[in-house]
mmCIF file with all atom_site columns, all heavy atoms in Angstrom:
data_model
loop_
_atom_site.group_PDB
_atom_site.id
_atom_site.type_symbol
_atom_site.label_atom_id
_atom_site.label_alt_id
_atom_site.label_comp_id
_atom_site.label_asym_id
_atom_site.label_entity_id
_atom_site.label_seq_id
_atom_site.pdbx_PDB_ins_code
_atom_site.Cartn_x
_atom_site.Cartn_y
_atom_site.Cartn_z
_atom_site.occupancy
_atom_site.B_iso_or_equiv
_atom_site.pdbx_formal_charge
_atom_site.auth_seq_id
_atom_site.auth_comp_id
_atom_site.auth_asym_id
_atom_site.auth_atom_id
_atom_site.pdbx_PDB_model_num
ATOM 1  N N   . VAL V 1 215 ? 122.012 -9.454  110.198 1.00 98.00 ? 215 VAL V N   1
ATOM 2  C CA  . VAL V 1 215 ? 122.509 -9.666  111.563 1.00 98.00 ? 215 VAL V CA  1
ATOM 3  C C   . VAL V 1 215 ? 123.579 -10.756 111.558 1.00 98.00 ? 215 VAL V C   1
ATOM 4  O O   . VAL V 1 215 ? 124.622 -10.631 112.195 1.00 98.00 ? 215 VAL V O   1
ATOM 5  C CB  . VAL V 1 215 ? 121.338 -10.060 112.511 1.00 98.00 ? 215 VAL V CB  1
ATOM 6  C CG1 . VAL V 1 215 ? 121.862 -10.524 113.864 1.00 98.00 ? 215 VAL V CG1 1
ATOM 7  C CG2 . VAL V 1 215 ? 120.380 -8.901  112.686 1.00 98.00 ? 215 VAL V CG2 1
ATOM 8  N N   . PHE V 1 216 ? 123.319 -11.814 110.803 1.00 98.00 ? 216 PHE V N   1
ATOM 9  C CA  . PHE V 1 216 ? 124.275 -12.924 110.781 1.00 98.00 ? 216 PHE V CA  1
ATOM 10 C C   . PHE V 1 216 ? 125.615 -12.466 110.196 1.00 98.00 ? 216 PHE V C   1
ATOM 11 O O   . PHE V 1 216 ? 126.678 -12.763 110.739 1.00 98.00 ? 216 PHE V O   1
ATOM 12 C CB  . PHE V 1 216 ? 123.706 -14.101 109.974 1.00 98.00 ? 216 PHE V CB  1
ATOM 13 C CG  . PHE V 1 216 ? 124.568 -15.319 110.032 1.00 98.00 ? 216 PHE V CG  1
ATOM 14 C CD1 . PHE V 1 216 ? 124.632 -16.088 111.183 1.00 98.00 ? 216 PHE V CD1 1
ATOM 15 C CD2 . PHE V 1 216 ? 125.351 -15.690 108.945 1.00 98.00 ? 216 PHE V CD2 1
ATOM 16 C CE1 . PHE V 1 216 ? 125.456 -17.205 111.255 1.00 98.00 ? 216 PHE V CE1 1
ATOM 17 C CE2 . PHE V 1 216 ? 126.173 -16.807 109.005 1.00 98.00 ? 216 PHE V CE2 1
ATOM 18 C CZ  . PHE V 1 216 ? 126.220 -17.570 110.165 1.00 98.00 ? 216 PHE V CZ  1
ATOM 19 N N   . ILE V 1 217 ? 125.544 -11.696 109.118 1.00 98.00 ? 217 ILE V N   1
ATOM 20 C CA  . ILE V 1 217 ? 126.786 -11.221 108.489 1.00 98.00 ? 217 ILE V CA  1
ATOM 21 C C   . ILE V 1 217 ? 127.517 -10.249 109.427 1.00 98.00 ? 217 ILE V C   1
ATOM 22 O O   . ILE V 1 217 ? 128.742 -10.257 109.518 1.00 98.00 ? 217 ILE V O   1
ATOM 23 C CB  . ILE V 1 217 ? 126.486 -10.564 107.118 1.00 98.00 ? 217 ILE V CB  1
ATOM 24 C CG1 . ILE V 1 217 ? 125.968 -11.633 106.141 1.00 98.00 ? 217 ILE V CG1 1
ATOM 25 C CG2 . ILE V 1 217 ? 127.733 -9.891  106.546 1.00 98.00 ? 217 ILE V CG2 1
ATOM 26 C CD1 . ILE V 1 217 ? 125.483 -11.122 104.806 1.00 98.00 ? 217 ILE V CD1 1
ATOM 27 N N   . ALA V 1 218 ? 126.723 -9.469  110.192 1.00 97.00 ? 218 ALA V N   1
ATOM 28 C CA  . ALA V 1 218 ? 127.332 -8.495  111.108 1.00 97.00 ? 218 ALA V CA  1
ATOM 29 C C   . ALA V 1 218 ? 128.242 -9.170  112.136 1.00 97.00 ? 218 ALA V C   1
ATOM 30 O O   . ALA V 1 218 ? 129.240 -8.587  112.569 1.00 97.00 ? 218 ALA V O   1
ATOM 31 C CB  . ALA V 1 218 ? 126.227 -7.699  111.808 1.00 97.00 ? 218 ALA V CB  1
ATOM 32 N N   . GLY V 1 219 ? 127.894 -10.406 112.503 1.00 96.00 ? 219 GLY V N   1
ATOM 33 C CA  . GLY V 1 219 ? 128.723 -11.083 113.513 1.00 96.00 ? 219 GLY V CA  1
ATOM 34 C C   . GLY V 1 219 ? 129.922 -11.803 112.920 1.00 96.00 ? 219 GLY V C   1
ATOM 35 O O   . GLY V 1 219 ? 130.675 -12.467 113.650 1.00 96.00 ? 219 GLY V O   1
ATOM 36 N N   . SER V 1 220 ? 130.100 -11.666 111.625 1.00 95.00 ? 220 SER V N   1
ATOM 37 C CA  . SER V 1 220 ? 131.101 -12.425 110.872 1.00 95.00 ? 220 SER V CA  1
ATOM 38 C C   . SER V 1 220 ? 132.493 -12.482 111.514 1.00 95.00 ? 220 SER V C   1
ATOM 39 O O   . SER V 1 220 ? 133.104 -13.548 111.591 1.00 95.00 ? 220 SER V O   1
ATOM 40 C CB  . SER V 1 220 ? 131.188 -11.826 109.468 1.00 95.00 ? 220 SER V CB  1
ATOM 41 O OG  . SER V 1 220 ? 132.062 -12.541 108.716 1.00 95.00 ? 220 SER V OG  1
ATOM 42 N N   . GLY V 1 221 ? 132.950 -11.338 112.004 1.00 93.00 ? 221 GLY V N   1
ATOM 43 C CA  . GLY V 1 221 ? 134.301 -11.271 112.540 1.00 93.00 ? 221 GLY V CA  1
ATOM 44 C C   . GLY V 1 221 ? 134.484 -12.041 113.837 1.00 93.00 ? 221 GLY V C   1
ATOM 45 O O   . GLY V 1 221 ? 135.612 -12.279 114.276 1.00 93.00 ? 221 GLY V O   1
ATOM 46 N N   . MET V 1 222 ? 133.391 -12.398 114.480 1.00 95.00 ? 222 MET V N   1
ATOM 47 C CA  . MET V 1 222 ? 133.525 -12.992 115.822 1.00 95.00 ? 222 MET V CA  1
ATOM 48 C C   . MET V 1 222 ? 133.325 -14.493 115.862 1.00 95.00 ? 222 MET V C   1
ATOM 49 O O   . MET V 1 222 ? 133.494 -15.117 116.904 1.00 95.00 ? 222 MET V O   1
ATOM 50 C CB  . MET V 1 222 ? 132.466 -12.357 116.730 1.00 95.00 ? 222 MET V CB  1
ATOM 51 C CG  . MET V 1 222 ? 132.710 -10.926 117.011 1.00 95.00 ? 222 MET V CG  1
ATOM 52 S SD  . MET V 1 222 ? 131.442 -10.343 118.102 1.00 95.00 ? 222 MET V SD  1
ATOM 53 C CE  . MET V 1 222 ? 131.423 -8.660  117.646 1.00 95.00 ? 222 MET V CE  1
ATOM 54 N N   . TYR V 1 223 ? 132.906 -15.064 114.735 1.00 96.00 ? 223 TYR V N   1
ATOM 55 C CA  . TYR V 1 223 ? 132.557 -16.485 114.787 1.00 96.00 ? 223 TYR V CA  1
ATOM 56 C C   . TYR V 1 223 ? 133.762 -17.405 114.788 1.00 96.00 ? 223 TYR V C   1
ATOM 57 O O   . TYR V 1 223 ? 134.789 -17.089 114.183 1.00 96.00 ? 223 TYR V O   1
ATOM 58 C CB  . TYR V 1 223 ? 131.693 -16.879 113.572 1.00 96.00 ? 223 TYR V CB  1
ATOM 59 C CG  . TYR V 1 223 ? 130.376 -16.150 113.474 1.00 96.00 ? 223 TYR V CG  1
ATOM 60 C CD1 . TYR V 1 223 ? 129.958 -15.584 112.269 1.00 96.00 ? 223 TYR V CD1 1
ATOM 61 C CD2 . TYR V 1 223 ? 129.528 -16.044 114.573 1.00 96.00 ? 223 TYR V CD2 1
ATOM 62 C CE1 . TYR V 1 223 ? 128.749 -14.920 112.156 1.00 96.00 ? 223 TYR V CE1 1
ATOM 63 C CE2 . TYR V 1 223 ? 128.318 -15.380 114.478 1.00 96.00 ? 223 TYR V CE2 1
ATOM 64 C CZ  . TYR V 1 223 ? 127.934 -14.818 113.265 1.00 96.00 ? 223 TYR V CZ  1
ATOM 65 O OH  . TYR V 1 223 ? 126.741 -14.170 113.162 1.00 96.00 ? 223 TYR V OH  1
ATOM 66 N N   . VAL V 1 224 ? 133.559 -18.575 115.399 1.00 94.00 ? 224 VAL V N   1
ATOM 67 C CA  . VAL V 1 224 ? 134.499 -19.680 115.239 1.00 94.00 ? 224 VAL V CA  1
ATOM 68 C C   . VAL V 1 224 ? 134.017 -20.408 113.994 1.00 94.00 ? 224 VAL V C   1
ATOM 69 O O   . VAL V 1 224 ? 132.891 -20.900 113.956 1.00 94.00 ? 224 VAL V O   1
ATOM 70 C CB  . VAL V 1 224 ? 134.420 -20.645 116.449 1.00 94.00 ? 224 VAL V CB  1
ATOM 71 C CG1 . VAL V 1 224 ? 135.252 -21.895 116.190 1.00 94.00 ? 224 VAL V CG1 1
ATOM 72 C CG2 . VAL V 1 224 ? 134.846 -19.965 117.728 1.00 94.00 ? 224 VAL V CG2 1
#
Side-chain angles (χ1 to χ4, degrees):
V215 170
F216 186 73
I217 294 173
S220 183
M222 292 182 207
Y223 299 133
V224 172

